[in-house]
């Protein structure tokens, strides 16, 4: 075989490629480049780690803790309300509510969770998103998104649990009114704070999901009834299941309150009022304790313990302002106001108890004729007979004679024109007009005709049924102005009445006149076998363009009064003696039948 010389294997030199004798460093160049890149990468990672640990360490630690630890707030049980005899008026019942953990929701599943949950709970999606956005998507605290769930809704949430991560059902207390709509305007109702209410109440310790009183005693005694929140701090695993309770604070129940209301009398007042738009008030004349306060139209406060639908709300509003407590709204008091007029005449000294005045078909003052209601007059009359037959011309002469300033002063002494101070926020002041008021509104001075109009409870004068009850309590208790109240708990520690310093002869004339109303005058409907001897006064107020209002107020027994009852029917079209007096009789009868039970 022919031998091949080693040089024969060397490549032939090519044009353009230049041989270089340098060989040192060629094998390390790539290493240096990679090392430089590595150092840059490690430096960036290191600086980022340093930033996360040193600068953002506490924040990241808290986020980790939030993923592991969650807060379960426990709402307090609201205080129970009782009537004066221990009957429950408002309490709490157990129900199921739906809650959502914002932090447990993944971003990519959040929209699906909201849509599915809204469909199950039959809620607009906004009612789930809005409270979560207000609290924050990183909040570890549960947020209530549904109350008073049905069994079908509870089952649906359980069945879709795999798609509803961070959503659970828990038991809580909701308000319950065992007597339905009885005393609704006194008790009020409760509801969850909306965004605006929450913002205003945060400084007072309120939080998202708080249930507060929205009307009546629930609202005015909120501080007593609400209690204090409690809660649990719970450790959860990766699937959101509770592992252990790390700490807890028991919720503190609200205080129970005893009201002055007598449930039997309250039911009788509402039955007497029936479906007539108006009000009935019953009160202890000695200390102002309100035994009953009925108003119609009314509502069932239980519907607000869950979510009220638009259909329910529209139905309520269609019933004629059912949330207005007509016991606390002002209306012309008509002839019931003659108690004030008689007092002004007697106390002025100008018209003493033995005064006799000629009555006629009308009383002409300044070109205006004020007619007698029987269109004929009653001839000469004294105080007692004039009260019994509610003479307009007799009391018109008294008012005209004492003058506007004196009459207005006595009206205000009786408590008209200002709030009584009862523990309800919706109370109106009523109106006792004067010269300054008239000049401001009508640019016209007070006239003698205005005084005569006021003396018979017409014109500008406005009084609430509660104010009228306070007025009747004055002759009933011997001359004391009482402060009406609903809270019985601390009744013994407060002074509920002040003396009006009336002459004994004034009280005697008023009592005799009011007694004659029932025995021989316009209030015969109260003189029934089931009621002890009573005293009272009727009133029929003109209310153009509608029909007249009907009033009747009474107290019994006449010699030692225990109860005052005032009935008012708006636009009844009938007289107070025929329409309102029988209502008063029914309430008085219920009171004396249940007395001591």
């Amino acid at each position: 075989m022919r031998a091949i010389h080693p040089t024969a294997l060397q490549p032939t030199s090519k044009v353009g490629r230049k041989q270089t004798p340098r060989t040192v460093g060629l094998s390390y160049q790539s290493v240096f480049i990679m090392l430089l890149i590595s150092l840059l990468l490690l430096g960036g990672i290191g600086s980022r780690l340093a930033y996360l640990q040193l600068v953002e360490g506490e924040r990241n630690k808290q986020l980790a803790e939030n993923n592991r630890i969650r807060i379960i707030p426990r709402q307090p049980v609201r205080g129970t309300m009782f009537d004066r005899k221990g009957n429950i008026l408002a309490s709490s019942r157990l129900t199921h509510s739906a809650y959502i953990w914002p932090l447990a929701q993944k971003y990519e599943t959040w929209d699906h969770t909201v849509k599915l949950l809204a469909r199950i709970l039959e809620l607009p999606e906004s009612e789930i998103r809005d409270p979560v956005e207000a609290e924050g998507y990183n909040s570890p605290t549960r947020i209530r998104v549904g109350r008073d769930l049905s069994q079908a809704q509870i089952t649906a949430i359980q069945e879709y649990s795999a798609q509803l991560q961070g959503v659970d059902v828990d038991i809580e207390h909701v308000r319950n009114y065992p007597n339905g709509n009885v005393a609704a305007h006194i008790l009020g109702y409760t509801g969850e704070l909306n965004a605006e209410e929450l913002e205003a109440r945060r400084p007072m310790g309120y939080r998202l999901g708080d249930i507060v009183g929205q009307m009546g005693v629930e609202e005015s005694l909120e501080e007593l009834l609400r209690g204090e929140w409690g809660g649990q701090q719970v450790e959860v695993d990766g699937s959101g299941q509770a592992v252990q309770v790390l700490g807890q604070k028991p919720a503190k129940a609200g205080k129970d309150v005893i009201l002055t209301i007598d449930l039997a009398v309250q039911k009788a007042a509402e039955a007497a009022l029936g479906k007539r738009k108006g009000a009935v008030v019953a009160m202890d004349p000695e200390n102002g304790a309100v035994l009953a306060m009925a108003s119609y139209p009314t509502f069932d406060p239980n519907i607000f313990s869950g979510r009220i639908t638009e259909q329910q709300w529209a139905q309520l509003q269609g019933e004629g302002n059912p949330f207005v407590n007509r016991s606390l709204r002002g209306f012309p008091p008509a002839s019931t106001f003659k108690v004030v007029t008689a007092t002004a005449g007697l106390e002025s000294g100008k018209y003493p108890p033995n005064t006799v005045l000629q009555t006629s078909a009308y009383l002409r003052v300044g070109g205006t004729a004020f007619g007698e209601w029987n269109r004929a007059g009653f001839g000469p009359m004294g105080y007692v007979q004039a009260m019994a037959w509610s003479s307009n011309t007799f009391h018109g002469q008294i008012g005209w004679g004492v003058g506007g300033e004196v009459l207005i002063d006595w009206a205000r002494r009786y408590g008209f024109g200002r709030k009584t101070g009862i523990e309800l926020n919706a109370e109106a002041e009523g109106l006792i007009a004067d010269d300054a008021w008239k000049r401001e509104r009508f640019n016209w001075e007070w006239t003698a005709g205005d005084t005569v109009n006021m003396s018979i409870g017409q014109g500008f004068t406005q009084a609430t049924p509660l104010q009228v009850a306070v007025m009747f309590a004055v002759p009933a208790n011997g001359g004391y102005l009482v402060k009406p109240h609903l809270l019985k708990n601390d009744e013994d520690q407060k002074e509920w009445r002040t003396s009006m310093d009336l002459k004994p002869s004034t009280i005697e004339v008023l009592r005799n006149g009011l007694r004659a109303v029932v025995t021989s005058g316009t209030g015969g409907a109260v003189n029934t076998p089931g009621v002890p001897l009573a005293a009272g006064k009727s009133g029929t107020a003109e209310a153009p363009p509608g029909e007249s209002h009907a009033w009747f107020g009474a107290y019994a027994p006449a010699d030692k009064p225990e109860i005052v009852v005032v009935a008012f029917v708006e636009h009844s079209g009938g007289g107070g003696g025929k329409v309102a007096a029988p209502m008063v009789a029914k309430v008085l009868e219920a009171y004396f039948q249940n007395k001591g039970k």
Side-chain angles (χ1 to χ4, degrees):
M1 178 180 291
R2 184 181 175 183
I4 299 176
H5 195 275
T7 59
L9 297 174
Q10 298 297 323
T12 305
S13 296
K14 298 290 183 180
V15 178
R17 180 171 182 177
K18 186 177 180 179
Q19 296 286 340
T20 174
R22 180 175 179 270
T23 59
V24 179
L26 283 177
S27 61
Y28 296 103
Q29 186 175 19
S30 60
V31 175
F32 289 149
I33 294 172
M34 291 300 297
L35 181 60
L36 179 62
I37 294 174
S38 298
L39 289 173
L40 291 173
L41 290 174
L42 288 173
I45 294 172
S47 62
R48 180 60 179 168
L49 288 173
Y51 173 79
L52 291 175
Q53 291 181 0
L54 299 178
V55 180
E56 294 286 317
E58 286 300 317
R59 176 177 178 275
N60 291 324
K61 181 181 178 182
Q62 187 62 47
L63 288 174
E65 286 294 304
N66 287 345
N67 279 313
R68 185 177 67 88
I69 299 173
R70 295 176 186 170
I71 306 299
I72 302 178
R74 294 298 182 191
Q75 195 168 33
V77 179
R78 200 166 177 85
T80 300
M81 287 192 273
F82 300 90
D83 83 335
R84 66 190 304 110
K85 295 179 179 177
N87 297 298
I88 294 177
L89 299 175
S91 60
S92 299
R93 62 179 174 85
L94 293 175
T95 187
H96 291 83
S97 295
Y99 293 85
I100 192 166
W101 301 89
L103 194 63
Q105 294 296 312
K106 296 179 180 179
Y107 178 79
E108 58 270 19
T109 62
W110 180 253
D111 192 59
H112 172 73
T113 299
V114 172
K115 290 182 181 298
L116 178 57
L117 193 56
R119 190 165 68 248
I120 293 173
L121 300 179
E122 299 177 350
L123 294 173
E125 293 181 17
S126 60
E127 292 193 21
I128 299 176
R129 293 185 190 274
D130 291 351
V132 174
E133 290 178 355
E135 188 69 10
Y137 288 97
N138 288 327
S139 173
T141 303
R142 295 192 313 173
I143 298 173
R144 185 198 303 109
V145 291
R147 300 178 64 202
D148 207 13
L149 304 186
S150 66
Q151 188 58 51
Q153 290 171 326
I154 296 171
T155 302
I157 292 175
Q158 293 172 342
E159 290 178 348
Y160 286 98
S161 59
Q163 302 178 48
L164 294 173
Q165 292 294 322
V167 176
D168 56 17
V169 175
D170 203 352
I171 294 175
E172 70 170 354
H173 293 84
V174 299
R175 209 55 165 160
N176 180 53
Y177 303 91
N179 302 294
N181 60 10
V182 175
H185 291 94
I186 300 172
L187 303 177
Y189 62 92
T190 61
E192 190 170 341
L193 284 173
N194 59 36
E196 293 181 2
E197 292 170 334
L198 177 60
E199 192 65 27
R201 296 197 187 211
R202 276 192 190 276
M204 295 177 281
Y206 285 83
R207 62 181 73 187
L208 186 71
D210 255 334
I211 303 298
V212 298
Q214 300 283 1
M215 179 183 166
V217 174
E218 293 280 21
E219 179 186 18
S220 60
L221 299 185
E222 167 70 16
E223 188 174 345
L224 287 176
L225 294 166
R226 68 175 291 213
E228 295 180 10
W229 277 78
Q232 291 180 324
Q233 191 178 43
V234 180
E235 182 181 359
V236 297
D237 58 21
S239 64
Q241 299 299 312
V243 176
Q244 63 175 328
V245 176
L246 302 177
Q248 62 180 339
K249 175 188 175 183
K252 185 178 179 180
K255 292 183 179 180
D256 295 341
V257 296
I258 302 173
L259 301 184
T260 60
I261 296 301
D262 185 315
L263 184 59
V265 179
Q266 178 69 32
K267 289 181 177 179
E270 297 194 15
L273 186 57
K275 300 294 185 181
R276 289 170 288 201
K277 188 178 291 187
V280 176
V281 175
M283 187 177 71
D284 184 334
E286 291 297 321
N287 61 16
V290 175
L291 305 176
M293 183 183 287
S295 180
Y296 186 85
T298 187
F299 63 96
D300 185 350
N302 285 301
I303 65 174
F304 294 97
S305 295
R307 176 181 176 269
I308 185 168
T309 65
E310 293 183 3
Q311 183 179 4
Q312 287 175 315
W313 183 253
Q315 182 179 354
L316 281 171
Q317 293 301 319
E319 294 178 359
N321 299 321
F323 301 105
V324 173
N325 187 349
R326 284 169 170 78
S327 300
L328 305 178
R329 294 297 179 188
F331 304 93
S335 292
T336 62
F337 191 82
K338 290 171 182 175
V339 171
V340 177
T341 305
T343 302
L346 290 162
E347 289 291 312
S348 70
K350 191 172 183 178
Y351 298 95
N354 59 355
T355 296
V356 175
L357 298 176
Q358 179 67 39
T359 64
S360 56
Y362 58 86
L363 177 65
R364 186 173 295 279
V365 180
T368 302
F370 295 88
E372 190 62 81
W373 65 266
N374 70 351
R375 301 182 183 180
F378 300 95
M381 302 183 96
Y383 277 106
V384 173
Q385 193 178 6
M387 187 73 75
W389 290 101
S390 195
S391 171
N392 289 336
T393 57
F394 178 92
H395 290 92
Q397 290 179 76
I398 297 290
W400 189 11
V402 300
E405 290 185 4
V406 173
L407 185 61
I408 290 168
D409 176 59
W410 276 104
R412 290 175 176 163
R413 291 195 197 186
Y414 266 95
F416 292 109
R418 67 174 185 269
K419 295 181 180 181
T420 66
I422 194 170
E423 308 94 325
L424 295 173
N425 296 334
E427 184 180 16
E429 294 181 347
L431 176 62
I432 295 297
D434 55 17
D435 183 71
W437 180 90
K438 188 179 179 186
R439 287 180 185 274
E440 180 182 347
R441 284 159 180 78
F442 299 103
N443 195 28
W444 195 259
E445 65 181 1
W446 187 266
T447 66
D450 294 323
T451 301
V452 172
N453 232 0
M454 176 182 281
S455 69
I456 59 175
Q458 293 283 173
F460 304 118
T461 307
Q462 298 278 315
T464 70
L466 182 61
Q467 289 173 334
V468 173
V470 171
M471 178 196 72
F472 277 107
V474 173
N477 63 32
Y480 292 89
L481 187 70
V482 297
K483 178 182 177 181
H485 59 279
L486 289 163
L487 185 61
K488 194 175 187 299
N489 294 56
D490 57 352
E491 190 171 69
D492 296 336
Q493 285 74 44
K494 290 189 176 181
E495 183 60 51
W496 295 106
R497 65 183 200 170
T498 55
S499 175
M500 292 182 65
D501 297 322
L502 298 179
K503 301 172 185 176
S505 58
T506 298
I507 297 170
E508 183 181 5
V509 170
L510 292 176
R511 281 190 159 189
N512 290 338
L514 295 172
R515 181 72 191 98
V517 170
V518 176
T519 58
S520 59
T522 59
V526 179
N527 197 14
T528 61
V531 178
L533 294 176
K537 183 72 188 75
S538 61
T540 306
E542 295 179 358
E547 294 185 295
S548 59
H549 303 319
W551 289 88
F552 199 89
Y555 56 81
D559 56 343
K560 194 175 181 181
E562 299 177 16
I563 181 174
V564 168
V565 181
V566 170
F568 166 76
V569 182
E570 189 175 339
H571 299 301
S572 70
K578 291 184 178 180
V579 176
M583 296 164 56
V584 171
K586 291 179 181 178
V587 178
L588 290 173
E589 186 175 356
Y591 171 81
F592 288 105
Q593 282 181 350
N594 288 278
K595 181 182 175 181
K597 291 184 180 180

Short mmCIF file of all heavy atoms in Angstrom, two decimals, residues 337 341 365 370 395-408 433 438 446-461:
data_model
loop_
_atom_site.label_atom_id
_atom_site.label_comp_id
_atom_site.label_asym_id
_atom_site.label_seq_id
_atom_site.Cartn_x
_atom_site.Cartn_y
_atom_site.Cartn_z
N PHE A 337 -109.94 72.42 71.36
CA PHE A 337 -109.10 73.55 71.79
C PHE A 337 -109.85 74.47 72.76
O PHE A 337 -109.24 75.32 73.41
CB PHE A 337 -108.64 74.33 70.56
CG PHE A 337 -107.58 75.36 70.82
CD1 PHE A 337 -106.25 75.01 70.91
CD2 PHE A 337 -107.91 76.69 70.99
CE1 PHE A 337 -105.26 75.95 71.15
CE2 PHE A 337 -106.94 77.66 71.23
CZ PHE A 337 -105.61 77.28 71.31
N THR A 341 -109.21 77.80 75.53
CA THR A 341 -109.93 79.07 75.51
C THR A 341 -110.62 79.33 76.85
O THR A 341 -110.55 80.44 77.40
CB THR A 341 -110.97 79.07 74.37
OG1 THR A 341 -110.31 78.78 73.14
CG2 THR A 341 -111.67 80.41 74.27
N VAL A 365 -117.20 89.71 63.70
CA VAL A 365 -115.97 90.37 64.14
C VAL A 365 -115.24 90.91 62.92
O VAL A 365 -114.85 90.15 62.02
CB VAL A 365 -115.04 89.38 64.89
CG1 VAL A 365 -113.76 90.09 65.33
CG2 VAL A 365 -115.75 88.77 66.08
N PHE A 370 -118.68 84.58 62.27
CA PHE A 370 -118.29 83.24 62.72
C PHE A 370 -119.56 82.55 63.22
O PHE A 370 -120.13 82.91 64.25
CB PHE A 370 -117.25 83.34 63.84
CG PHE A 370 -115.95 83.94 63.38
CD1 PHE A 370 -115.76 85.32 63.42
CD2 PHE A 370 -114.93 83.14 62.88
CE1 PHE A 370 -114.55 85.87 62.98
CE2 PHE A 370 -113.73 83.69 62.45
CZ PHE A 370 -113.54 85.06 62.50
N HIS A 395 -117.38 80.67 73.12
CA HIS A 395 -115.92 80.64 73.23
C HIS A 395 -115.27 81.68 72.33
O HIS A 395 -114.17 82.17 72.65
CB HIS A 395 -115.41 79.24 72.91
CG HIS A 395 -115.76 78.23 73.96
ND1 HIS A 395 -116.90 77.46 73.89
CD2 HIS A 395 -115.14 77.88 75.12
CE1 HIS A 395 -116.97 76.67 74.95
NE2 HIS A 395 -115.92 76.90 75.72
N GLY A 396 -115.94 82.03 71.25
CA GLY A 396 -115.43 83.12 70.41
C GLY A 396 -115.41 84.44 71.17
O GLY A 396 -114.46 85.23 71.05
N GLN A 397 -116.45 84.69 71.96
CA GLN A 397 -116.49 85.91 72.77
C GLN A 397 -115.41 85.89 73.85
O GLN A 397 -114.79 86.93 74.13
CB GLN A 397 -117.87 86.05 73.42
CG GLN A 397 -119.00 86.37 72.45
CD GLN A 397 -120.33 86.46 73.16
OE1 GLN A 397 -120.64 87.45 73.84
NE2 GLN A 397 -121.16 85.42 73.00
N ILE A 398 -115.16 84.73 74.43
CA ILE A 398 -114.11 84.61 75.45
C ILE A 398 -112.75 84.94 74.83
O ILE A 398 -111.96 85.73 75.36
CB ILE A 398 -114.08 83.20 76.06
CG1 ILE A 398 -115.39 82.90 76.80
CG2 ILE A 398 -112.87 83.03 76.98
CD1 ILE A 398 -115.57 83.68 78.07
N GLY A 399 -112.45 84.31 73.69
CA GLY A 399 -111.17 84.56 73.03
C GLY A 399 -111.00 86.00 72.61
O GLY A 399 -109.92 86.60 72.80
N TRP A 400 -112.06 86.55 72.03
CA TRP A 400 -112.03 87.95 71.58
C TRP A 400 -111.82 88.88 72.77
O TRP A 400 -111.05 89.84 72.72
CB TRP A 400 -113.35 88.25 70.86
CG TRP A 400 -113.39 89.57 70.16
CD1 TRP A 400 -112.37 90.44 69.90
CD2 TRP A 400 -114.58 90.19 69.62
NE1 TRP A 400 -112.82 91.54 69.22
CE2 TRP A 400 -114.17 91.42 69.04
CE3 TRP A 400 -115.92 89.82 69.56
CZ2 TRP A 400 -115.07 92.28 68.42
CZ3 TRP A 400 -116.81 90.67 68.93
CH2 TRP A 400 -116.40 91.90 68.36
N GLY A 401 -112.46 88.55 73.87
CA GLY A 401 -112.38 89.40 75.06
C GLY A 401 -111.00 89.40 75.72
O GLY A 401 -110.50 90.44 76.14
N VAL A 402 -110.36 88.23 75.83
CA VAL A 402 -109.05 88.19 76.49
C VAL A 402 -107.94 88.67 75.57
O VAL A 402 -106.88 89.11 76.02
CB VAL A 402 -108.71 86.77 77.01
CG1 VAL A 402 -109.74 86.30 78.01
CG2 VAL A 402 -108.57 85.76 75.86
N GLY A 403 -108.18 88.59 74.25
CA GLY A 403 -107.21 89.07 73.28
C GLY A 403 -106.26 87.98 72.79
O GLY A 403 -106.05 86.95 73.45
N GLY A 404 -105.67 88.24 71.64
CA GLY A 404 -104.80 87.26 70.99
C GLY A 404 -103.59 86.88 71.81
O GLY A 404 -103.23 85.70 71.91
N GLU A 405 -102.93 87.86 72.42
CA GLU A 405 -101.70 87.57 73.16
C GLU A 405 -101.96 86.64 74.34
O GLU A 405 -101.18 85.71 74.59
CB GLU A 405 -101.05 88.87 73.64
CG GLU A 405 -100.47 89.71 72.52
CD GLU A 405 -99.72 90.92 73.04
OE1 GLU A 405 -99.61 91.05 74.29
OE2 GLU A 405 -99.23 91.73 72.23
N VAL A 406 -103.03 86.87 75.06
CA VAL A 406 -103.35 86.03 76.21
C VAL A 406 -103.71 84.62 75.76
O VAL A 406 -103.25 83.62 76.34
CB VAL A 406 -104.51 86.64 77.03
CG1 VAL A 406 -104.97 85.68 78.13
CG2 VAL A 406 -104.08 87.97 77.63
N LEU A 407 -104.52 84.52 74.72
CA LEU A 407 -104.94 83.20 74.23
C LEU A 407 -103.73 82.42 73.71
O LEU A 407 -103.59 81.22 73.98
CB LEU A 407 -105.99 83.37 73.13
CG LEU A 407 -106.62 82.08 72.59
CD1 LEU A 407 -107.34 81.32 73.71
CD2 LEU A 407 -107.59 82.39 71.46
N ILE A 408 -102.86 83.10 72.96
CA ILE A 408 -101.66 82.45 72.43
C ILE A 408 -100.75 81.98 73.57
O ILE A 408 -100.19 80.88 73.53
CB ILE A 408 -100.91 83.41 71.49
CG1 ILE A 408 -101.71 83.62 70.20
CG2 ILE A 408 -99.51 82.89 71.17
CD1 ILE A 408 -101.20 84.76 69.34
N ALA A 433 -99.80 80.20 65.81
CA ALA A 433 -99.35 81.39 65.09
C ALA A 433 -99.51 82.63 65.97
O ALA A 433 -100.28 82.65 66.93
CB ALA A 433 -100.16 81.55 63.81
N LYS A 438 -97.48 85.77 61.29
CA LYS A 438 -98.37 86.16 60.21
C LYS A 438 -97.74 87.24 59.33
O LYS A 438 -97.86 87.22 58.11
CB LYS A 438 -99.71 86.63 60.76
CG LYS A 438 -100.76 86.86 59.66
CD LYS A 438 -102.08 87.31 60.23
CE LYS A 438 -103.09 87.56 59.10
NZ LYS A 438 -104.36 88.13 59.60
N TRP A 446 -101.81 90.56 62.80
CA TRP A 446 -102.77 89.70 63.49
C TRP A 446 -104.04 90.49 63.76
O TRP A 446 -103.99 91.65 64.19
CB TRP A 446 -102.16 89.22 64.81
CG TRP A 446 -102.98 88.19 65.52
CD1 TRP A 446 -103.90 88.40 66.49
CD2 TRP A 446 -102.94 86.78 65.31
NE1 TRP A 446 -104.44 87.22 66.92
CE2 TRP A 446 -103.88 86.19 66.21
CE3 TRP A 446 -102.22 85.94 64.46
CZ2 TRP A 446 -104.10 84.83 66.28
CZ3 TRP A 446 -102.43 84.58 64.53
CH2 TRP A 446 -103.36 84.02 65.42
N THR A 447 -105.20 89.88 63.53
CA THR A 447 -106.49 90.57 63.69
C THR A 447 -107.34 89.89 64.76
O THR A 447 -107.06 88.77 65.19
CB THR A 447 -107.26 90.57 62.36
OG1 THR A 447 -107.63 89.23 62.03
CG2 THR A 447 -106.42 91.18 61.24
N ALA A 448 -108.41 90.59 65.15
CA ALA A 448 -109.36 90.02 66.10
C ALA A 448 -110.01 88.76 65.52
O ALA A 448 -110.33 87.81 66.25
CB ALA A 448 -110.42 91.05 66.46
N GLY A 449 -110.18 88.75 64.21
CA GLY A 449 -110.76 87.57 63.56
C GLY A 449 -109.85 86.36 63.70
O GLY A 449 -110.33 85.23 63.87
N ASP A 450 -108.53 86.58 63.65
CA ASP A 450 -107.59 85.47 63.86
C ASP A 450 -107.73 84.91 65.27
O ASP A 450 -107.65 83.70 65.48
CB ASP A 450 -106.15 85.95 63.63
CG ASP A 450 -105.90 86.34 62.18
OD1 ASP A 450 -106.43 85.67 61.28
OD2 ASP A 450 -105.14 87.31 61.95
N THR A 451 -107.93 85.81 66.24
CA THR A 451 -108.08 85.37 67.63
C THR A 451 -109.34 84.54 67.80
O THR A 451 -109.32 83.49 68.47
CB THR A 451 -108.13 86.59 68.56
OG1 THR A 451 -106.93 87.35 68.41
CG2 THR A 451 -108.28 86.16 70.01
N VAL A 452 -110.46 84.98 67.23
CA VAL A 452 -111.72 84.24 67.33
C VAL A 452 -111.58 82.88 66.65
O VAL A 452 -112.05 81.86 67.17
CB VAL A 452 -112.88 85.05 66.73
CG1 VAL A 452 -114.15 84.21 66.65
CG2 VAL A 452 -113.11 86.31 67.55
N ASN A 453 -110.93 82.87 65.50
CA ASN A 453 -110.71 81.60 64.80
C ASN A 453 -109.90 80.63 65.64
O ASN A 453 -110.20 79.44 65.72
CB ASN A 453 -110.00 81.87 63.47
CG ASN A 453 -110.71 81.23 62.29
OD1 ASN A 453 -111.74 80.57 62.46
ND2 ASN A 453 -110.16 81.40 61.10
N MET A 454 -108.86 81.16 66.30
CA MET A 454 -108.05 80.31 67.16
C MET A 454 -108.85 79.81 68.36
O MET A 454 -108.66 78.66 68.80
CB MET A 454 -106.81 81.07 67.66
CG MET A 454 -105.96 80.28 68.65
SD MET A 454 -104.54 81.18 69.28
CE MET A 454 -103.42 80.99 67.89
N SER A 455 -109.74 80.62 68.88
CA SER A 455 -110.48 80.25 70.10
C SER A 455 -111.36 79.02 69.89
O SER A 455 -111.72 78.34 70.85
CB SER A 455 -111.34 81.42 70.57
OG SER A 455 -112.42 81.67 69.67
N ILE A 456 -111.69 78.70 68.65
CA ILE A 456 -112.49 77.51 68.36
C ILE A 456 -111.66 76.44 67.63
O ILE A 456 -112.21 75.52 67.02
CB ILE A 456 -113.75 77.87 67.54
CG1 ILE A 456 -113.40 78.55 66.22
CG2 ILE A 456 -114.68 78.75 68.36
CD1 ILE A 456 -114.60 78.81 65.31
N GLY A 457 -110.32 76.61 67.66
CA GLY A 457 -109.43 75.58 67.13
C GLY A 457 -109.35 75.53 65.63
O GLY A 457 -109.04 74.47 65.05
N GLN A 458 -109.58 76.67 64.97
CA GLN A 458 -109.50 76.72 63.50
C GLN A 458 -108.42 77.73 63.10
O GLN A 458 -107.56 78.08 63.90
CB GLN A 458 -110.86 77.11 62.92
CG GLN A 458 -111.94 76.06 63.12
CD GLN A 458 -111.85 74.87 62.18
OE1 GLN A 458 -112.57 73.89 62.31
NE2 GLN A 458 -110.93 74.92 61.23
N GLY A 459 -108.47 78.17 61.86
CA GLY A 459 -107.49 79.14 61.38
C GLY A 459 -106.13 78.49 61.16
O GLY A 459 -106.01 77.41 60.59
N PHE A 460 -105.08 79.16 61.68
CA PHE A 460 -103.72 78.67 61.48
C PHE A 460 -103.33 77.57 62.47
O PHE A 460 -102.32 76.91 62.28
CB PHE A 460 -102.72 79.83 61.65
CG PHE A 460 -102.99 81.00 60.75
CD1 PHE A 460 -103.29 82.25 61.29
CD2 PHE A 460 -102.94 80.87 59.38
CE1 PHE A 460 -103.54 83.34 60.48
CE2 PHE A 460 -103.19 81.95 58.55
CZ PHE A 460 -103.49 83.19 59.09
N THR A 461 -104.11 77.37 63.50
CA THR A 461 -103.73 76.48 64.59
C THR A 461 -103.62 75.03 64.12
O THR A 461 -104.52 74.51 63.45
CB THR A 461 -104.75 76.57 65.74
OG1 THR A 461 -104.91 77.93 66.11
CG2 THR A 461 -104.29 75.76 66.94
#
